[in-house]
């Protein structure tokens, strides 16, 4: 894609509140969208996310009363994704999850695992002051989940798929539903955000944004 085609995808993307329920995203196309999320960057490469693709209509209806920001998108989206972020228990340097990532996923030698773990612990404790604040650690993980969210929405737009990021929900009540259906282990995850994918039923209004002069500051 050339630069103008990429910018056109950004212009095409908007927060689509309602989708055409009769149009479904193909398995191939949605696998592509998920792959762009999987390949997204994360701090230290620790991938503190999980993508729950919620296609069960009964569970969607159960979530509807506690997701006020998805009243039109939840029933009509072709694919609905709940993005979970990891909690403090999984983010400590010596946690089984972080050790698994370094040893098994990144395949680092033992001496590098030890050194990287020390650097990571120092970062959490002294650079970002996260270790004494459980909620801050979850929010740190959630900020990385938003990188994956943005990449998935942009990738979807590039192949003509609409999306809508969603924060309008009762976090505690939605998490309770997810625990009941066995997709969220207690103490390991919290909900970072949701995102709906599908095809628009009507054209959006023209996109509005501040001019670049208000957004970017150059320090030369």
């Amino acid at each position: 894609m050339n630069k103008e085609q990429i910018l056109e995808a950004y212009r095409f993307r908007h927060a689509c509140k309602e989708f055409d329920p009769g149009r479904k995203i193909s398995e191939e196309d949605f696998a592509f969208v998920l792959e762009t999320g999987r390949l997204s960057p994360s701090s230290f490469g620790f991938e503190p996310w999980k993508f729950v693709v919620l296609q069960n209509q009964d569970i969607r209806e159960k979530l509807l009363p506690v997701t006020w920001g998805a009243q039109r998108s939840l029933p009509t989206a072709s694919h609905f994704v709940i993005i979970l972020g990891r909690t403090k228990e999984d983010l400590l340097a010596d946690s089984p999850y972080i050790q698994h990532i370094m040893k098994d996923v990144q395949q680092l030698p033992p001496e590098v695992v030890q050194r990287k773990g020390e650097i990571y612990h120092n970062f959490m404790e002294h650079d970002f002051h996260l270790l004494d604040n459980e909620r801050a650690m979850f929010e740190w993980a959630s900020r990385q989940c938003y990188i994956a969210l943005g990449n998935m929405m942009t990738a979807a737009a590039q192949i003509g798929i609409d999306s809508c990021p969603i924060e309008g929900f009762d976090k505690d009540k939605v998490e309770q539903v997810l625990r009941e259906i066995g997709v969220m282990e207690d103490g390991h995850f919290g909900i970072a955000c949701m995102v709906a994918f599908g095809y628009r039923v009507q054209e959006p209004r023209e996109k509005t944004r501040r001019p670049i002069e208000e957004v970017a500051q150059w320090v030369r």
Side-chain angles (χ1 to χ4, degrees), residues 52-67 70-71 73-77 80-82 84 169 173-184 191 194:
V52 178
V53 185
L54 185 59
Q55 299 302 86
N56 185 296
Q57 291 297 327
D58 291 337
I59 298 173
R60 286 194 190 186
E61 290 180 12
K62 193 172 183 178
L63 287 175
L64 201 57
V66 294
T67 52
Q71 292 299 292
S73 59
L74 190 55
T76 61
F80 195 88
V81 181
I82 298 176
L84 305 180
F169 54 86
K173 292 180 179 178
V174 173
E175 288 178 352
Q176 179 59 38
V177 172
L178 296 184
R179 281 191 290 268
E180 290 172 358
I181 64 174
V183 300
M184 193 176 82
I191 299 177
M194 303 174 175

Side-chain angles (χ1 to χ4, degrees), residues 23-33 78-79 159 161 199:
R23 295 188 65 190
K24 301 301 180 185
I25 301 169
S26 71
E27 290 186 12
E28 178 183 355
D29 283 350
F30 200 70
F32 161 75
V33 171
S78 169
H79 290 68
I159 59 173
I161 294 173
Y199 297 97

Side-chain angles (χ1 to χ4, degrees), residues 93 98-99 102 112-122:
I98 295 299
Q99 291 294 309
M102 289 193 292
V112 178
V113 169
Q114 181 176 348
R115 180 57 181 154
K116 184 173 182 176
E118 292 170 352
I119 293 171
Y120 173 60
H121 178 82
N122 184 73

